[in-house]
Amino acid sequence: MYSGAVLAGGASRRFGEDKALFVYRGKPLLLWVLESLRGAAERFLVANRPYEGFGVPVYPDLLPGADSLSGLHSALHHARFPWVAVAATDLPFLTREYWDFLYEKALASPHPVVAVHGPEGHPEPLMALYHKDCLPQVERQIREGDFLLRRVMEVSGATYIPAEEVLARFGEHLFLNANRKGELP
């Protein structure tokens, strides 16, 4: 069993409006991501504003000012289960099958992070599973002013799943990160 956290705290500057609430194919982007986490034993949002009507708790950043790292910190702090699926609100093509696949990998992993490499070969930190054991590293980085999510993976250790395996199984749309409205198909 794992927890599911959607990080919805971004400013959406490039998007032009709150992308979490942007209606895409009949429902808000946030709802697409929340629904992908329906296999989680608990689901919640991490945001510094209220998102009512989604039927899940909303927790603010406990250590604000560190961008997505603040969101990861709050997600790890509030999660009731050791593994936490952490997703950005602008990834509408994530699926329950994807999270189940990652969780299977997590159960077999010797590392506290399980992440996929994107098509360009870089790890994708906002569609990954983190173990609560990462919390001290996240707190240390925030205190030291190092806000890189990838550093958590580097220091804590991570199991990386190759992009080819993920693309073959789930398709290229899985990685679509909607920073601008025009990027949505």
Side-chain angles (χ1 to χ4, degrees), residues 45-105:
L45 306 177
V46 176
N48 292 317
R49 58 161 289 190
Y51 282 102
E52 297 171 1
F54 289 96
V56 296
V58 181
Y59 301 114
D61 291 340
L62 297 170
L63 297 174
D67 303 322
S68 296
L69 196 62
S70 290
L72 175 59
H73 175 264
S74 188
L76 292 172
H77 175 83
H78 288 289
R80 292 190 341 242
F81 297 92
W83 284 102
V84 186
V86 176
T89 191
D90 56 2
L91 295 162
F93 296 105
L94 293 174
T95 64
R96 177 181 180 160
E97 293 74 24
Y98 169 76
W99 292 114
D100 290 347
F101 168 75
L102 233 58
Y103 185 56
E104 263 183 50
K105 299 285 187 182

Side-chain angles (χ1 to χ4, degrees), residues 100-120:
D100 290 347
F101 168 75
L102 233 58
Y103 185 56
E104 263 183 50
K105 299 285 187 182
L107 292 177
S109 174
H111 304 293
V113 182
V114 176
V116 300
H117 277 114
E120 286 126 31

Side-chain angles (χ1 to χ4, degrees), residues 29-43:
L29 286 176
L30 175 58
L31 189 54
W32 285 97
V33 180
L34 259 179
E35 287 177 353
S36 80
L37 291 164
R38 68 188 177 278
E42 70 168 336
R43 298 180 302 165

